[in-house]
Amino acid sequence: MSAAATQEKSSGSKINLGAFFIEARALVALAIIIVIFASMSDTYLSVGNLVTVAKDVAFNAIIALGMLMVILHSGIDLSVGSTVGLTGAVAGTLFQGLHLPLTDAVMYPSIWVIVVIAVAVGMLVGWVNGLLIARLNLAPFIVTLGMLYVGRGLTQVLLDGTNITNELRGQEELGNTGFFEVFASSPLGVPISAWVMVAVAIAFSIILTRTPFGRWLYAIGSNERAAALSGVPVNQVKTRVYVLTGLCAGIVGMLQIANIRSSTADLGEFYELNAIAAVVIGGAALSGGRGTVRGTIIGAFVIGFLTNGLVIVGVSPFWQTVITGAVIILAVAVDQIQQILQRRQAQARAVAEARRESGKVPVGPGGHEGPPPEQT
């Protein structure tokens, strides 16, 4: 085996080992949380509570997987929460019936038409985000922050300050019933949201590890300029990741309105923060180029088990917010400390290598290589 191949294999092993320790760190945190709260409450690990945790975690995990795709290319999406609310409002409005313009007729779409339209609205929001960011080179933070307000405002316009509840059930004579039976069901005793989370995780894992799109995404996050010079379609990749994020938000919007059996103006609030937290806790770098589906799922479970445990032991909701925020800050701080240590180690290795190289071939008088002539 050549020296270059050996070095490449060693480098790959170090990267895999580093990724393992990052995910192991999140797993250790998850184990500690479970042990602490299980010792404080007998119901914490009960089947009923675990099902509840799985359902709640799934909502955050699906959003977080979309957020992972954005963060991998060093972007951010603050609009996913409002997109969840907007898709829920669109679905609720369609359940009430669509008034055809210039007529008194009202059209009642079937369930699957409503679902497709609502999810398509989420993807449209993502496409607009991606278009503005990729084509106009606008800052992702500013674009998605603006879209957060746009989405939340449109949600309030559609709902007009009221919650939509009974209309979500549909009407048998119109053939649009069965929404709750599908999107709030529990196949094999597991909430449908958990099954959807598994499906999305598998799909995204294949995309990131088995397709050129995944390699392009990591390359852009590591060095966008180098990726562009290598022929990577940077703008297309950026646009597509925001469409995927909008898709995830649309899916969660459908699952959430089925879960709470209503469409509300505040649906999806703070989802973007929980999603970013799950991605960071799972070991992804906000600077891009590093992150895995496994780590993101683990991060979502860390937040889910922590939040559920605080509720069970009776911690005040105000303190729950404080503790969750502190955990997020700690995760980011640990990640930054790790990166600083890695950079210092890399610099130390580079200096040591340079010294070894300079000591191999001494420079003689006149600038010629080789040992100096013997003195007589």
Side-chain angles (χ1 to χ4, degrees):
M1 183 181 294
S2 65
T6 303
Q7 184 177 2
E8 182 179 355
K9 182 178 180 181
S10 175
S11 175
S13 300
K14 290 178 181 179
I15 294 175
N16 294 334
L17 190 62
F20 169 78
F21 280 120
I22 289 172
E23 293 182 9
R25 182 178 66 201
L27 279 172
V28 170
L30 178 60
I32 292 174
I33 290 172
I34 293 175
V35 169
I36 290 176
F37 288 112
S39 64
M40 298 175 67
S41 173
D42 295 334
T43 62
Y44 186 68
L45 294 180
S46 64
V47 175
N49 189 57
L50 290 178
V51 170
T52 300
V53 172
K55 180 173 63 177
D56 294 338
V57 165
F59 299 138
N60 185 33
I62 295 171
I63 294 292
L65 289 172
M67 188 68 72
L68 170 67
M69 306 293 276
V70 173
I71 289 178
L72 282 177
H73 89 277
S74 69
I76 200 73
D77 190 348
L78 301 178
S79 66
V80 288
S82 60
T83 304
V84 170
L86 179 60
T87 55
V90 169
T93 302
L94 292 175
F95 266 109
Q96 290 181 309
L98 184 63
H99 294 266
L100 299 180
L102 305 178
T103 68
D104 294 331
V106 180
M107 182 178 65
Y108 292 88
S110 66
I111 288 178
W112 294 109
V113 172
I114 292 174
V115 171
V116 169
I117 292 176
V119 173
V121 168
M123 297 175 68
L124 177 62
V125 172
W127 178 77
V128 173
N129 283 334
L131 194 66
L132 294 173
I133 292 169
R135 300 296 179 180
L136 299 182
N137 289 324
L138 300 180
F141 180 88
I142 299 301
V143 172
T144 58
L145 178 62
M147 193 60 71
L148 181 154
Y149 285 101
V150 171
R152 192 61 64 189
L154 289 175
T155 300
Q156 294 171 346
V157 169
L158 286 173
L159 297 180
D160 196 22
T162 61
N163 296 336
I164 300 174
T165 54
N166 294 331
E167 290 84 354
L168 295 178
R169 297 180 180 277
Q171 302 176 45
E172 292 185 4
E173 62 272 16
L174 298 175
N176 61 350
T177 58
F179 180 72
F180 296 127
E181 287 76 4
V182 175
F183 292 95
S185 60
S186 297
L188 302 178
V190 179
I192 189 68
S193 58
W195 290 110
V196 174
M197 175 190 69
V198 172
V200 173
I202 293 174
F204 279 23
S205 180
I206 293 174
I207 290 174
L208 290 178
T209 60
R210 304 293 182 183
T211 67
F213 180 83
R215 293 191 291 272
W216 293 342
L217 195 53
Y218 281 107
I220 294 172
S222 299
N223 191 323
E224 181 175 334
R225 178 61 178 168
L229 293 175
S230 300
V232 174
V234 175
N235 289 340
Q236 293 181 16
V237 172
K238 284 185 177 182
T239 304
R240 289 173 185 172
V241 294
Y242 285 98
V243 172
L244 288 175
T245 306
L247 171 65
C248 291
I251 293 173
V252 172
M254 294 299 94
L255 294 172
Q256 267 289 35
I257 63 174
N259 178 56
I260 64 177
R261 296 181 176 266
S262 63
S263 179
T264 62
D266 61 349
L267 183 67
E269 282 190 346
F270 303 116
Y271 269 35
E272 60 278 353
L273 302 182
N274 288 333
I276 294 171
V279 174
V280 173
I281 291 174
L286 291 175
S287 57
R290 191 188 75 207
T292 63
V293 169
R294 294 190 308 271
T296 299
I297 296 295
I298 294 171
F301 271 96
V302 168
I303 295 176
F305 273 101
L306 174 63
T307 303
N308 180 263
L310 294 173
V311 172
I312 286 181
V313 299
V315 176
S316 167
F318 306 113
W319 281 108
Q320 291 178 27
T321 305
V322 172
I323 294 172
T324 303
V327 170
I328 296 172
I329 293 174
L330 178 62
V332 175
V334 170
D335 178 72
Q336 291 299 315
I337 292 172
Q338 181 184 15
Q339 292 189 40
I340 291 172
L341 293 176
Q342 289 176 344
R343 285 196 295 268
R344 289 180 178 177
Q345 291 175 358
Q347 291 173 356
R349 287 195 298 268
V351 171
E353 184 67 22
R355 289 176 177 174
R356 285 196 298 270
E357 292 295 329
S358 62
K360 287 181 180 178
V361 185
V363 179
H368 299 289
E369 295 182 355
E374 295 183 1
Q375 299 292 331
T376 57

